[in-house]
Amino acid sequence: MKKYEQTDHTADIGLRIFGNSLPALFANAGYALFDTLTDILKVSPATKQVFRFQRDSAEELLVEWMGALLYTFETEDLLFNRFNIISINKNSLSAEAEGEFFNSAVHTIKNSVKAVTYHKLKIEEKNGRWQAEVVLDI
Amino acid sequence: MSDKPISLEKIDDTKWRIEKCRDMKTHGIIYADEKMIPSIKQDDSLSQVTNVACLPGIVGPSMAMPDIHCGYGFPIGGVAAFDLDEGIVSPGGVGYDINCGVRLFKTALQKEDISEHLKTLVDGLFLNIPSGIGSKRKDLKLSSKELEEVLENGAAWAVKNGFGSYNDILHIEDHGKIEKADPSLVSEKAYKRGQPQLGTLGSGNHFVEIAFIDEIYDEETATQLGLKQGQITVSVHTGSRGLGYQVCDDSIKKMLKAAQKYNINLPDRQLCCAPVNSKEGQNYLAAMACAANYAFANRQIIGHWIRETFEQVLATNPRDLKMELIYDVCHNIAKIEEHRVEGKKKKVCVHRKGATRAFPPDHSQIPDDYKKIGQPILIPGDMGRYSHLLIGTEKAMEETFGSTCHGAGRLMSRNQAKKAARGRAIYRELEDRGIIVSAAGRFTLVEEMPDAYKDVNMVVDVVAKAGIAKKVARMKPLGVIKG
């Protein structure tokens, strides 16, 4: 199953993320973010970080999760490639991300992402298939 | 609302009206010419103009400049003013890159003075100004206390610490410092992002550009600004970096709650907001001011390194180089300003998201030496064509809360640009046009290629014809460093 696709947006990048469950959707959102940022196949799972959040809705949790991954990349130079959702409901998330420190000899940066926005943010479920729409500010 | 086609009614050759309907509290006005309309209709930007018109306490129309394109929440190129008692302030009306802006220097150099040194100058700038994603400085790591001073004092902090001179401050919008900045409202996360990034260009559409004056439209104003044909100019386009993005992100979370608290109906979450005079509204403005001040300091510091680079490469000194700041403008900001509304003076909260302040001659908030001519406005184009220097007008005060366009405006999405660039060597194409480019990211050059943007000449012609700015001079790029 396709993890995500990019949607056209004049100035920024839209992501349509898929998953066969809510945890899979969130894991694929992490993947989509880092696949947008870098060549994710060149990232190895050498170190692990744990993330925990509480928010008012699943949509807000998604922005929080992707935003926290982006913040960790920017402040700690960590690129992630594996995402494990430990538990999730519509108000709280507990997850792990695995990756390694950015190394300019190995990794390339494809796009600079300023932020994960709330613009047209949407999570939908139809017959057990989940889909989310997120716009990244570039 | 965004699913229905929006009908535009032509007012004249440069203005279009969106009639008030459904939840809109006012009409929309788009500044554009006939040729621009099909591309404007292609993305969501018009529905974003109508969404802004739904927000409480909007004063005057929800406006968009000719460089309008789809943003998130507010359109890029959007201008909207709100009543201080009934209206709102929205972080989405400013954007993530708070006080993204442009500064322009003039020099005593003519085009032929640098032609042999151009490559060395571009390489020198690229070396001296950290650029690219996550760019950090190794030699300017601020302590929390120092960063707090930057957030309070903006460009003045940079001058006090040896970056540039007091004269620069006089030629920066709001003297490089927005009042009522409160660093205690800036999160630890924002501090962490901001500390290593002061004095960095960043990536995307941010740049430093060496250009020459290739056409003068208003000889008298150009002379007063000390500009002549063939003269070398240098411009900087950057903003508040990760600190600003974090301030925006933190504020949006608070505003989502505030919008619920104050029963504000949001057509899009990204438009979340709070009454201007509420605690949440005031706190946002105070945190936004901190990020804006950081951006002023950032451009001031980068400006200093540009001067140093020119002095080193050309083996000259500040007295002979005469690299003086013409002006420094914000193009993502919300401000409390006094305007004339229905014949009466009134303070309003003006949001400019991808729009520039364009104050006329004699306005109290422009530098004394520009009082006669009006406020300079700097309009960068794409890296292959032109940039423009405009001046503010009385008509902008009457129609657009003293605002005008901010740039060329994107035409293609990044994916479209990548497709259009397939099989082409953008670097070589620019070189063939006589433009040397140094870019930190190999993808940036493709996404930012000239064809991805509207022709800035067309954008500028619309605002000039509409009278919301006056054309003074056009600059053609020679050397560009991109993030």
Side-chain angles (χ1 to χ4, degrees), chain B residues 97 99-103 236-239 295 299 328-332:
Chain B
D97 198 352
N99 187 9
C100 186
V102 191
R103 61 166 42 198
V236 181
H237 175 214
T238 187
R299 291 195 289 274
D328 179 312
V329 290
C330 319
H331 54 221
N332 284 352

Side-chain angles (χ1 to χ4, degrees), chain A residues 10-11 111-112 118-120, chain B residues 43-44 203 268 270 414 447:
Chain A
T10 319
N111 289 290
S112 71
Y118 293 82
H119 178 56
K120 290 194 157 182
Chain B
D43 68 18
D44 266 347
S203 58
D268 178 356
Q270 194 74 29
R414 288 163 206 279
E447 290 173 10

Side-chain angles (χ1 to χ4, degrees), chain B residues 155-165 300-301 304-305 307-308:
Chain B
W157 179 89
V159 171
K160 198 175 137 200
N161 285 276
F163 301 96
S165 74
Q300 180 66 23
I301 292 168
H304 176 71
W305 288 325
R307 283 180 172 133
E308 278 191 347

Side-chain angles (χ1 to χ4, degrees), chain A residues 6 8-12 55-56 64 71 74 77 109-112 114-115 117-120 137-138, chain B residues 43-44 48 71-73 96 133 189 193 197 203 252-253 257 268 270 410 412-415 447:
Chain A
Q6 276 194 9
D8 250 14
H9 186 282
T10 319
D12 301 305
R55 292 298 298 273
D56 291 344
E64 185 78 35
Y71 175 80
E74 195 176 306
D77 283 339
I109 297 300
K110 293 198 289 193
N111 289 290
S112 71
K114 282 182 191 163
T117 77
Y118 293 82
H119 178 56
K120 290 194 157 182
D137 183 21
I138 301 295
Chain B
D43 68 18
D44 266 347
Q48 292 179 344
Y72 33 83
Y96 285 89
I133 184 163
K189 278 172 114 177
R193 287 175 87 166
Q197 291 185 344
S203 58
I252 285 175
K253 280 177 213 161
K257 289 201 171 16
D268 178 356
Q270 194 74 29
R410 280 195 82 92
M412 290 183 194
S413 72
R414 288 163 206 279
N415 283 334
E447 290 173 10

Side-chain angles (χ1 to χ4, degrees), chain B residues 454-475:
Chain B
K454 292 179 193 173
D455 182 348
V456 74
N457 292 335
M458 285 167 67
V459 171
V460 163
D461 282 344
V462 170
V463 295
K465 203 169 171 190
I468 55 170
K470 200 168 79 174
K471 280 161 75 168
V472 177
R474 187 173 76 174
M475 289 148 284

